[in-house]
Amino acid sequence: MAAAVEDSSNVSEAYPMTGGDGPNSYAKNSIRQKLVVDAAKELLTKTIKQNLDLDICLPCDTFHIADLGCSVGPNTFLSVENILEAVKFEYQSRGLSSQIPEFQAFFNDHTLNDFNMLFKSLPRNRNYYAAGVPGSFYGRLFPKASIHFFHSSLAVHWLSRVPKDVTEKTSRAWNKGRIHYSNSGDEVVRAYQAQYSEDMECFLHARALETVHRGLVVLTLLGHHNGDSHSLGNVTVDILGSCLMDMARKGVVSEEKVDSFNIPSYCVSPQELEVIVERNGCFSIEALETLVYHVPEHGAKRSASTMRAATEGLIKQQFGEEILDELFSLYQQKIEEQISIFESKKSVIFFVVLKRKTN
Amino acid sequence: MAAAVEDSSNVSEAYPMTGGDGPNSYAKNSIRQKLVVDAAKELLTKTIKQNLDLDICLPCDTFHIADLGCSVGPNTFLSVENILEAVKFEYQSRGLSSQIPEFQAFFNDHTLNDFNMLFKSLPRNRNYYAAGVPGSFYGRLFPKASIHFFHSSLAVHWLSRVPKDVTEKTSRAWNKGRIHYSNSGDEVVRAYQAQYSEDMECFLHARALETVHRGLVVLTLLGHHNGDSHSLGNVTVDILGSCLMDMARKGVVSEEKVDSFNIPSYCVSPQELEVIVERNGCFSIEALETLVYHVPEHGAKRSASTMRAATEGLIKQQFGEEILDELFSLYQQKIEEQISIFESKKSVIFFVVLKRKTN
C-alpha cells in the first residue's frame, strides 16, 4: 500500500518569514542569514568532496536537492547554487564530466510561506529544475529514498510548536514575564529541550525515509556550546521580550498576552544533537563544527529589520498588527543603547553533516 | 554536462486564471471545467487499464504525476486523485497490491499563477506528496525521463503568445475589430494555426524528453471537428469581442486597443493534431476521441463568471482593471439575450492519449 501522507498541518504551527518584497519583507531583510550561507560555502564544498558518493543518483540520473525552510529567497537560491556547483565540480575533477546529471531542486517551507514571491524571484538562468514543496519539515515531504542532498540553513531551530507547559499558568514551567527560555528557569529550559528533542526525532525519522542511502543531510543550526549556561541565552530575544514587557507596563499590550507568548525556537548543543542522531540510528555524523562567520557592524536599524522580518508573523498573531511599528522602534532604540553588548554576543552556529547509513 | 534549463519566461506570455478565493476567483468559478474533469474520469480509468505498463515506475519506485496548467484548484486535485485511484486499482486488480508505489504529484502552471492559493487548498488527507512547478509548459519543466503520467485539462488551447501578425496593422493577418480568429479571415486563422503548431511542437519536444519510456500523456483539449469551418467558432469569445467593440463605440475603451487585443487560444482538429504528433515522432496516439460531457443550463450569470475568471488577467493587462465590471455585465446581458444559441453551441472537447515510444 502507498503510505498515507501524514498531515503535518495538524501537528505543526506555521510562522513564515514576512512575504512579498516590501521594506519589511524577509527577502529584503535577510542579509545576516546570507552571511551564514556564504560562510558555509567552503565547508559545503569540502563536505561534498569528502563525503559524497557520486553514484548515488544512479539509476535515475537526476540529482535531487531539497532546501528545507527555504523561505522566499534569495538565500535559498545561493545555497542550492553552492551545492550544485560543488557536485558538478566533483564530477569534473574525478574525470566524470560526461556523466554530470540533471539537477532538480525542491524548495520547502510551510504552506503559508510566500511561494508566489519565491517563484517570481527564481534565478532566470538556473541550471536546475525547480519545484516548491509546502509543508512542515517535521513531517514527511518526499517519497521514499528520493533525495540525494538535504540542506537547511538557520531553520531547524524553529520548533514545531511552543512547548505546551510554558504557556500554562498551573504548570511549574509557566514562563511568566518572558518570551523565551533564555535566562529563564530550569523547568522552562527543560520544556523547550523536550520539545526540541521530540521535533528532531520527527525530523530525522522523516529524513531517514526520504534520503537515498549514502545521501547527505547538511544543516546550519543555531546552537550553544556544550556546558554553556542557558542564561547566556540569546540577547536579541531577551531584548525583544523586555520591549514587550515595557509595552505591557504602559498598557499598550496586556501582560497576560506577554506571559502566554513564547518564541518557539531552541539552540541545541553538540552533545544533545549527538544523542538524538544516535537514538535515530539511521545517520552517521560526518561533521559537527562551529561555523566561523563574520558579521559586519551594521547597526541597530538593520538588526531591528532582520528581527522584524523573522518574527512579525508570530507577534502579529498574538498581539495584532498595530503594535509592530512601536515594538520594533523600541527594540531598535534598546539595541542602540546596548550596541557593544549586542555586538559582542554573536550567535553560535553549527555546521552539521549527516550521512544516511546503508543499513 | 547538465543541460541548461531553458528560460521559458522569455518566450511565453503568462495569463493565469484569477487567483485567491474571492467571488471572481477561478477557484470559485471553474464548475464548467470540473464537469470536463468528471466526464473524463471514465476514459482516464479505461486508458490506465489499457495502456499503462505498471513496471515503468521501477527502479525508483515512485509514480510521478504532473498536471500541466493546473491553475489554483480544486479541479487539479480531482484529476490527480482520479489518476492515482485508477493506477492503484490496476495494481490491485493485477494482484500487485504489495507493490503499489508512493505517488508524487507535480502541479504546474505559469510563475504568475497563485501557488499560495493552490498550496493552501491542497486536500488535507491526500495520498501523494505534492510539489508546485512554476513555468510555461511550452518549455522544459522536469528532468529527463522523470514523469510517468502527464495530464492536462483544458489548458493546451492557450497559445504561448498572441500570433504576431494579427496585431500588426501592416500585416494581411491584422485582426481589426475582432479579438479572435473565430469568424475572422483566412489569414488570421492561418496565423493562429501556425502559432499553435509551433507551440505544440515545443510542448511535445519537452514532454518527449521528460516522459519515461512507455509513460502516458493525457490531454483534454478544446477542439473543432475535421472539416468544420472556423467561422463556427467560439460563440463565447465572439460575444466578448462584440462587447469590447460596443464599449469602443461608446468611447469607454479605445478602438485601437480592441484591434490590437487578441485572445491567444486555439481549438485544434484531430487531423491537425495527428500531423503534429507524427512530426514529433516520439509518441503513439492511443486514443483521440470526442469527450461526451453534460453542461447543465446554469444561466448567463454563471457563464459570465466563468469567462471572467479565465480572461480577466488578459483583459486587465490591455484595458485596465476599471472596465471589468462593465464589460462582464454587458457580456452577461448579451448571453441572456442569446441564451438559446449560446446553450446549443457546446464546445468540442477531445480526449487524447499519447504514449511515449521506447525508440
Side-chain angles (χ1 to χ4, degrees):
Chain A
M1 261 310 277
V5 176
E6 290 163 47
D7 178 13
S8 59
S9 58
N10 284 333
V11 297
S12 182
E13 290 165 15
Y15 11 84
M17 306 295 101
T18 306
D21 58 357
N24 294 324
S25 66
Y26 182 82
K28 291 263 169 74
N29 295 285
S30 48
I31 292 163
R32 269 178 186 260
Q33 291 88 333
K34 178 181 181 299
L35 295 171
V36 173
V37 170
D38 290 343
K41 184 176 176 176
E42 203 178 316
L43 285 173
L44 203 54
T45 306
K46 196 177 89 182
T47 296
I48 287 166
K49 187 180 178 62
Q50 290 177 349
N51 297 292
L52 187 69
D53 303 322
L54 296 188
D55 58 353
I56 57 168
C57 76
L58 298 170
C60 293
D61 206 30
T62 302
F63 195 95
H64 293 148
I65 301 165
D67 193 39
L68 304 173
C70 65
S71 191
V72 293
N75 298 337
T76 186
F77 307 129
L78 284 175
S79 296
V80 165
E81 191 67 27
N82 290 345
I83 295 162
L84 193 157
E85 286 308 317
V87 174
K88 264 174 68 178
F89 183 80
E90 280 313 298
Y91 273 88
Q92 282 158 347
S93 64
R94 296 184 208 175
L96 301 169
S97 293
S98 65
Q99 292 170 45
I100 294 175
E102 290 190 327
F103 292 86
Q104 189 169 27
F106 294 96
F107 296 96
N108 155 259
D109 211 311
H110 274 291
T111 302
L112 294 179
N113 183 51
D114 190 348
F115 282 95
N116 288 347
M117 172 68 194
L118 178 82
F119 287 166
K120 271 178 228 162
S121 51
L122 269 165
R124 289 212 151 204
N125 292 311
R126 59 193 183 275
N127 285 309
Y128 54 86
Y129 298 98
V133 172
S136 163
F137 51 51
Y138 293 123
R140 282 291 299 279
L141 296 165
F142 300 97
K144 261 182 270 175
S146 67
I147 304 293
H148 304 92
F149 200 106
F150 274 110
H151 179 263
S152 181
S153 184
L154 299 184
V156 184
H157 60 285
W158 290 109
L159 302 174
S160 73
R161 53 161 65 99
V162 172
K164 206 171 149 233
D165 285 354
V166 304
T167 60
E168 286 180 353
K169 266 192 181 168
T170 53
S171 164
R172 290 179 60 191
W174 186 38
N175 197 22
K176 183 174 166 52
R178 303 208 150 272
I179 64 164
H180 202 224
Y181 66 87
S182 170
N183 281 319
S184 195
D186 286 351
E187 294 284 354
V188 177
V189 175
R190 275 198 287 274
Y192 268 86
Q193 270 169 337
Q195 186 62 53
Y196 184 82
S197 179
E198 190 186 299
D199 284 344
M200 269 311 268
E201 275 174 34
C202 294
F203 181 88
L204 290 176
H205 175 70
R207 296 303 85 74
L209 290 166
E210 296 166 352
T211 312
V212 301
H213 285 177
R214 297 180 288 135
L216 299 174
V217 178
V218 173
L219 311 169
T220 62
L221 284 170
L222 284 179
H224 73 272
H225 294 301
N226 289 337
D228 273 359
S229 159
H230 285 286
S231 66
L232 277 172
N234 186 324
V235 66
T236 56
V237 180
D238 283 348
I239 293 174
L240 188 67
S242 78
C243 294
L244 281 165
M245 283 307 286
D246 289 353
M247 287 169 77
R249 274 186 289 272
K250 286 200 286 178
V252 182
V253 296
S254 88
E255 202 178 316
E256 203 169 357
K257 277 204 170 162
V258 181
D259 289 343
S260 65
F261 180 68
N262 290 275
I263 301 269
S265 76
Y266 184 75
C267 299
V268 72
S269 74
Q271 218 164 38
E272 285 173 288
L273 197 59
E274 278 158 8
V275 169
I276 299 168
V277 174
E278 271 160 35
R279 197 186 304 138
N280 167 274
C282 296
F283 294 96
S284 59
I285 300 178
E286 302 293 323
L288 200 172
E289 51 191 292
T290 307
L291 188 72
V292 180
Y293 66 103
H294 173 68
V295 180
E297 292 175 15
H298 50 213
K301 189 167 179 206
R302 185 168 287 171
S303 300
S305 304
T306 306
M307 186 58 140
R308 179 168 182 163
T311 61
E312 76 169 13
L314 272 169
I315 293 164
K316 211 155 56 171
Q317 217 170 42
Q318 175 85 348
F319 302 101
E321 196 164 0
E322 57 283 4
I323 75 153
L324 291 172
D325 287 341
E326 183 176 344
L327 174 64
F328 286 100
S329 146
L330 190 58
Y331 178 82
Q332 182 182 329
Q333 190 188 315
K334 287 212 182 196
I335 298 244
E336 266 159 16
E337 287 160 16
Q338 307 174 47
I339 196 79
S340 62
I341 306 171
F342 176 74
E343 283 181 346
S344 68
K345 287 216 180 180
K346 214 167 72 162
S347 304
V348 176
I349 294 174
F350 294 118
F351 181 85
V352 183
V353 180
L354 308 177
K355 187 166 189 168
R356 180 70 171 90
K357 293 180 186 170
T358 49
N359 288 14
Chain B
M1 260 311 278
V5 176
E6 291 163 48
D7 178 13
S8 60
S9 59
N10 285 333
V11 297
S12 182
E13 290 164 15
Y15 11 85
M17 306 295 100
T18 306
D21 59 357
N24 293 325
S25 66
Y26 182 83
K28 291 262 169 74
N29 294 286
S30 48
I31 292 163
R32 271 178 184 258
Q33 291 89 334
K34 178 181 180 300
L35 295 172
V36 172
V37 170
D38 290 344
K41 184 176 177 178
E42 204 179 313
L43 285 173
L44 203 53
T45 306
K46 197 178 89 181
T47 296
I48 287 166
K49 189 180 176 63
Q50 290 177 347
N51 297 292
L52 188 69
D53 304 322
L54 295 187
D55 57 354
I56 57 168
C57 75
L58 297 170
C60 293
D61 206 29
T62 303
F63 194 94
H64 293 149
I65 300 165
D67 193 39
L68 304 174
C70 64
S71 192
V72 293
N75 299 337
T76 186
F77 308 129
L78 285 176
S79 296
V80 165
E81 192 67 27
N82 290 344
I83 295 162
L84 193 156
E85 286 309 316
V87 175
K88 264 174 68 178
F89 183 81
E90 280 312 300
Y91 273 88
Q92 283 157 346
S93 63
R94 296 183 208 176
L96 301 169
S97 293
S98 65
Q99 292 170 45
I100 293 175
E102 290 190 328
F103 292 86
Q104 188 168 27
F106 293 96
F107 297 95
N108 155 259
D109 212 311
H110 273 290
T111 302
L112 295 179
N113 184 51
D114 190 348
F115 283 95
N116 288 347
M117 173 67 194
L118 177 82
F119 287 166
K120 270 177 226 161
S121 50
L122 269 165
R124 287 212 152 205
N125 293 311
R126 59 192 182 275
N127 285 308
Y128 54 86
Y129 299 97
V133 172
S136 162
F137 50 51
Y138 293 124
R140 283 289 300 280
L141 296 165
F142 300 97
K144 262 181 270 177
S146 66
I147 304 294
H148 304 92
F149 200 108
F150 274 109
H151 179 264
S152 180
S153 185
L154 299 183
V156 184
H157 60 285
W158 289 108
L159 301 173
S160 72
R161 51 161 68 99
V162 172
K164 208 172 147 229
D165 285 353
V166 304
T167 60
E168 286 180 353
K169 265 192 184 170
T170 52
S171 163
R172 290 180 60 190
W174 186 37
N175 198 21
K176 183 171 167 54
R178 304 207 149 271
I179 65 164
H180 202 225
Y181 66 86
S182 170
N183 280 319
S184 196
D186 286 351
E187 295 282 355
V188 177
V189 175
R190 274 198 287 274
Y192 268 87
Q193 269 169 338
Q195 186 63 52
Y196 185 81
S197 178
E198 189 186 300
D199 284 345
M200 270 310 267
E201 274 173 36
C202 294
F203 181 88
L204 291 176
H205 175 70
R207 296 304 83 73
L209 291 166
E210 295 165 353
T211 312
V212 301
H213 284 177
R214 296 179 287 135
L216 298 174
V217 177
V218 172
L219 312 170
T220 62
L221 284 171
L222 285 179
H224 73 273
H225 293 302
N226 289 336
D228 272 1
S229 157
H230 285 286
S231 66
L232 276 172
N234 186 324
V235 65
T236 56
V237 180
D238 283 347
I239 292 174
L240 188 67
S242 77
C243 295
L244 281 165
M245 283 305 286
D246 288 353
M247 287 170 78
R249 273 186 288 272
K250 285 201 286 177
V252 182
V253 296
S254 88
E255 203 179 314
E256 203 169 359
K257 276 202 173 165
V258 181
D259 289 342
S260 64
F261 180 67
N262 290 275
I263 301 269
S265 76
Y266 184 75
C267 299
V268 72
S269 74
Q271 219 164 35
E272 285 173 289
L273 196 60
E274 278 158 9
V275 169
I276 298 168
V277 174
E278 271 159 37
R279 197 187 303 138
N280 168 272
C282 296
F283 294 96
S284 58
I285 300 178
E286 302 293 323
L288 201 173
E289 50 191 295
T290 306
L291 188 73
V292 180
Y293 66 102
H294 172 69
V295 181
E297 291 174 16
H298 50 214
K301 191 168 179 205
R302 186 169 287 172
S303 300
S305 305
T306 306
M307 186 58 139
R308 179 168 181 162
T311 60
E312 76 169 14
L314 272 171
I315 292 165
K316 211 156 52 172
Q317 221 171 39
Q318 175 83 350
F319 302 102
E321 196 163 0
E322 58 284 2
I323 75 153
L324 291 172
D325 287 341
E326 182 176 343
L327 174 64
F328 286 100
S329 147
L330 189 58
Y331 178 83
Q332 182 181 329
Q333 191 187 315
K334 287 211 180 198
I335 299 246
E336 265 158 18
E337 287 160 16
Q338 309 174 46
I339 196 78
S340 62
I341 306 172
F342 176 73
E343 282 179 347
S344 67
K345 287 215 180 184
K346 216 167 73 162
S347 304
V348 177
I349 294 174
F350 295 118
F351 181 85
V352 183
V353 179
L354 307 177
K355 187 165 187 168
R356 180 69 172 91
K357 293 180 186 170
T358 49
N359 289 14

